[in-house]
Amino acid sequence: MATALARHIETFRHGVHPDDYKELTHDRPIERLPFMDELVLPLSQHLGSASRPVVSVGEYVYRGQLIAEADGFVSANLHASATGTISAIELRNHPSGRVVDSIVLTPDPVSPQTLYNERSIDFSGLTPSEIVQEIGQGGFVGLGGAAFPTHVKLTAPEGKKVRFFLVNAVECEPYLNSDYRALLERYESIFLGIRVVLKALEAEIAYVGVEMNKLDAIELLKQKMPADLPCEIVPLETKYPQGAEKMLTEAVLDIEIPSGRLPIDVQVIVNNVGTVSGIGEYFQYGQPLVERIVTVTGPGIRRPSNLMVPIGTKLSDVVAYCGGMHENVRQVLFGGPMMGSAQRFLDVPVMKGTSGILFLTDYEVFPREEYPCIKCQRCVDACPVFLNPSRLGSLAKARLYDDMMDWHIMDCMECGSCSYVCPSNIPLVQRFRVAKALLREQKARESKDE
Amino acid sequence: MESLLAIGFLAGLAALLAVVLAVAHRRLWVYEDPRIDTVTDILPGANCGACGLPGCRAFAERVVDGKILPSGCPVGGPDTARFIANFLGIEAGAVEKKVARLLCAGGRDVALQVGEYEGFSSCRAAATIGGGFKGCTFGCLGLADCEVACTFDAITMSSNGLPVVDLDACTACGDCVRACPKDLFVIEPVSHCLVVQCKSILEGEEALERCKVACTGCGLCAADAPEGLITMKDNLPVINTEKIEHQTELATLRCPTGAIQWIVGQQFKEFIPLDTMPAKN
């Protein structure tokens, strides 16, 4: 705490320093992407159970109107991201690689695309639980990538109190600039969002963690900050994976979250700055989560940009708007280069959790031969959760998955720092993902047997 | 003198402990049916868990207790079951040969491949990256996780990248069922000849675009089969095992893609197994 107030440059222990390549789009203002001919809104864009459609095929819906409601507690509402007609509810390709039920929306070309229910919500008279409920109505999920429903995160379990609210504006993934552009252009809604969430959590103070490669954003936020807002901007050293909840808590507050616990266990809640800005907009003029900032970047795209994309816009439409791809594109990722997921089809939609679209060419992506581990321990020095990736890697190769439990494989958050530093090109994270999937399956089977 | 003292002391200690052991052997002795050991010896000893119990000895205990019939061990087959039954003087039980069936026929020659996978050779690893490199999310990736997992070397990969299950070697232990990230293997009695070799829930053209032998969900098989044998669910035929005695090849004849097959004996007979597979990491 005291260190956070002392304002030197804070960070967590371990981690890696990849080149950030942010210069491709960092000075591009947010452009509004026009509404395309067809929007595909998958019913599962978030962690938890899929939403349940509340509209039928052929119905005319307005931008911001509820089209699918949360099914269960860990789920999220889904709103129409354009005024238009529901043309189908069918199976479509999903960025995760599956095919899932999706609502297909054909935007009305002559509609002014105004919001369905434009209003400002006065939260001063609301109780914390009413505010959380209102945020749930807006369909907000974590916009950093994991897409965990925000209203679930903001509901503290019985008997747990929140003292600190951390706003994650770290954006440690290389290439991406969507949070940075939000800081520069949407600071007013960010401040309003912080005010709302602080009230909802009954927290003492908010901290905005920003890395030092965004100095102008730090300066701007400090200038524009309302005097009565209990909020502090914390400059952080540029390091990956600082945007992970546990790492950010350690960097800003010097509190280490124990293994298997959540930030709430140390009285902290972390939210992405995009989510906070969205919440601000929702309380300002009633716009639910129908669009988001997406950084379209990488050496493979002709015109790298920061776009305000209606949720459900197809990847192929975004590519066409940005001037098309270069011929030597080899990989298209949703998210950043470290943790992003590769796409197989160009007709997948941009979802709530899509923070960036990255086009890599054959200069960046090529098969690398795997060599034996030389026990250099670079991965051990890189691992932010203090595991031994070298040992875990050899156990995974030998398929000794049960032994990996003794080496705390389940604490691995798959950030990819170990694979990044490995001089022998060992695909450590990929092996860990396989091991974790198998161990989870085995655990599910065991609990089913009992 | 000192050495004599040491020898004497140790001898005394040994005698004392021997008495303790002798008493303990008498007092703490537990009766165990000697037939359990014999039955364990007769069993294959693979400890594979195919019977649903943790290891062969646990199975032997249940058999001797009469809680399970000797035919419950699929690995031993009918001969072992009969041998145990004769030894214990009980009934062997109905022995039905079961085998692993693959619910996908989308080899490299017929299924659309949309991506290139450059990681290490494992289906499970490939499936974690956007569901794999195939156009079809549901199909076999052909990177041989099942071949590696098979305890009895019953699986070989064919030239078009599909696992071929050797009918004689397969003991229906279920290793491949657990290994497959796409849940494509099922354990079925050999006598069940109707096999739906597709798991794609897509319909019509969309399924066909991704794989030439996909089930399009047209429902012709359900219409041709005897009442209630085949029902359509999620654009896939589901075979009602309770009415399996009415099964008929008629159901497969009008299938436009050959997704539902009448299989007698071995699945994928026509493929030549590869002698050498790509090197595994």
Side-chain angles (χ1 to χ4, degrees), chain B residues 142-214:
Chain B
L143 294 173
D145 272 9
C146 48
E147 189 191 24
V148 176
C150 184
T151 317
F152 301 96
D153 286 342
I155 297 178
T156 38
M157 301 304 290
S158 72
S159 50
N160 64 350
L162 287 178
V164 177
V165 181
D166 183 343
L167 198 64
D168 297 327
C170 177
T171 59
C173 67
D175 278 346
C176 50
V177 177
R178 286 185 288 274
C180 183
K182 302 282 186 188
D183 284 334
L184 290 174
F185 274 109
V186 285
I187 303 293
E188 292 245 309
V190 185
S191 60
H192 291 194
C193 296
L194 282 175
V195 179
V196 184
Q197 297 187 144
C198 184
K199 273 199 118 175
S200 168
I201 59 171
L202 291 169
E203 196 180 353
E205 283 299 314
E206 283 202 43
L208 273 182
E209 263 171 34
R210 298 167 193 231
C211 178
K212 282 187 211 158
V213 294

Side-chain angles (χ1 to χ4, degrees), chain A residues 90-93 95-99 330-331 341-342 344-345 347 365-368 370 397 399 427 430-431 433-435 437-438 441 445, chain B residues 112 114 116-122 124-126 128-138 145 148 178 181 201-202 206 210 235 281:
Chain A
E90 59 183 21
L91 292 168
R92 288 294 183 105
N93 286 325
S96 71
R98 294 171 293 148
V99 284
R330 205 171 154 89
Q331 199 171 53
S341 58
R344 294 182 299 163
F345 295 103
D347 66 348
V365 186
F366 48 85
R368 290 170 168 87
E370 183 187 337
K397 198 166 176 175
R399 292 167 195 265
Q430 206 185 2
R431 290 200 195 282
R433 289 181 74 176
V434 171
L438 283 167
E441 252 177 46
R445 209 163 37 233
Chain B
L112 173 73
V114 291
E116 276 171 49
Y117 171 68
E118 283 159 359
F120 60 98
S121 178
S122 155
R124 180 78 57 169
T128 56
I129 303 170
F133 46 85
K134 270 183 149 183
C136 173
T137 326
F138 307 95
D145 272 9
V148 176
R178 286 185 288 274
I201 59 171
L202 291 169
E206 283 202 43
R210 298 167 193 231
N235 292 324
N281 288 310

Side-chain angles (χ1 to χ4, degrees), chain A residues 220-295:
Chain A
L220 184 81
L221 287 183
K222 280 184 178 165
Q223 266 173 34
K224 303 285 183 183
M225 171 106 65
D228 62 329
L229 188 66
C231 176
E232 185 130 0
I233 315 296
V234 186
L236 303 167
E237 190 194 322
T238 307
K239 197 157 87 173
Y240 180 88
Q242 197 139 239
E245 279 189 336
K246 292 192 173 188
M247 273 57 265
L248 186 68
T249 311
E250 188 184 327
V252 175
L253 298 169
D254 226 348
I255 301 174
E256 192 175 325
I257 300 168
S259 153
R261 299 293 191 84
L262 295 167
I264 185 80
D265 294 312
V266 292
Q267 304 185 324
V268 174
I269 289 277
V270 186
N271 251 316
N272 179 265
V273 71
T275 317
V276 175
S277 141
I279 291 171
E281 280 168 17
Y282 183 58
F283 280 82
Q284 205 174 347
Y285 49 91
Q287 175 183 301
L289 187 52
V290 293
E291 59 184 17
R292 66 155 300 146
I293 307 167
V294 178
T295 305

Side-chain angles (χ1 to χ4, degrees), chain A residues 46-116:
Chain A
H46 45 264
L47 285 180
S49 48
S51 319
R52 193 174 49 237
V54 293
V55 289
S56 44
V57 177
E59 206 171 316
Y60 193 82
V61 292
Y62 296 90
R63 182 159 173 265
Q65 185 183 336
L66 187 73
I67 53 173
E69 62 181 7
D71 193 8
F73 181 58
V74 186
S75 185
N77 283 345
L78 182 63
H79 301 82
S81 41
T83 303
T85 321
I86 307 284
S87 47
I89 300 176
E90 59 183 21
L91 292 168
R92 288 294 183 105
N93 286 325
H94 185 273
S96 71
R98 294 171 293 148
V99 284
V100 303
D101 280 314
S102 311
I103 298 177
V104 184
L105 179 65
T106 311
D108 184 352
V110 295
S111 158
Q113 299 290 358
T114 46
L115 275 178
Y116 173 63

Side-chain angles (χ1 to χ4, degrees), chain B residues 19-180:
Chain B
V19 171
V20 171
L21 278 177
V23 172
H25 182 66
R26 286 281 164 83
R27 283 287 174 91
L28 303 176
W29 186 70
V30 179
Y31 172 77
E32 192 182 47
D33 198 328
R35 294 176 302 170
I36 293 176
D37 281 332
T38 321
V39 173
T40 311
D41 288 342
I42 300 171
L43 286 167
N47 290 320
C48 61
C51 52
L53 295 165
C56 291
R57 194 175 168 86
F59 180 76
E61 283 171 15
R62 303 291 163 95
V63 171
V64 172
D65 282 357
K67 285 178 184 155
I68 197 167
L69 289 173
S71 61
C73 173
V75 180
D79 290 342
T80 311
R82 221 171 296 129
F83 197 63
I84 296 172
N86 286 344
F87 170 70
L88 294 175
I90 56 171
E91 222 175 294
V95 186
E96 192 170 23
K97 167 85 175 159
K98 287 188 173 180
V99 71
R101 298 288 197 202
L102 186 72
L103 303 185
C104 175
R108 286 190 202 120
D109 46 347
V110 288
L112 173 73
Q113 195 152 337
V114 291
E116 276 171 49
Y117 171 68
E118 283 159 359
F120 60 98
S121 178
S122 155
C123 311
R124 180 78 57 169
T128 56
I129 303 170
F133 46 85
K134 270 183 149 183
C136 173
T137 326
F138 307 95
C140 172
L141 294 166
L143 294 173
D145 272 9
C146 48
E147 189 191 24
V148 176
C150 184
T151 317
F152 301 96
D153 286 342
I155 297 178
T156 38
M157 301 304 290
S158 72
S159 50
N160 64 350
L162 287 178
V164 177
V165 181
D166 183 343
L167 198 64
D168 297 327
C170 177
T171 59
C173 67
D175 278 346
C176 50
V177 177
R178 286 185 288 274
C180 183

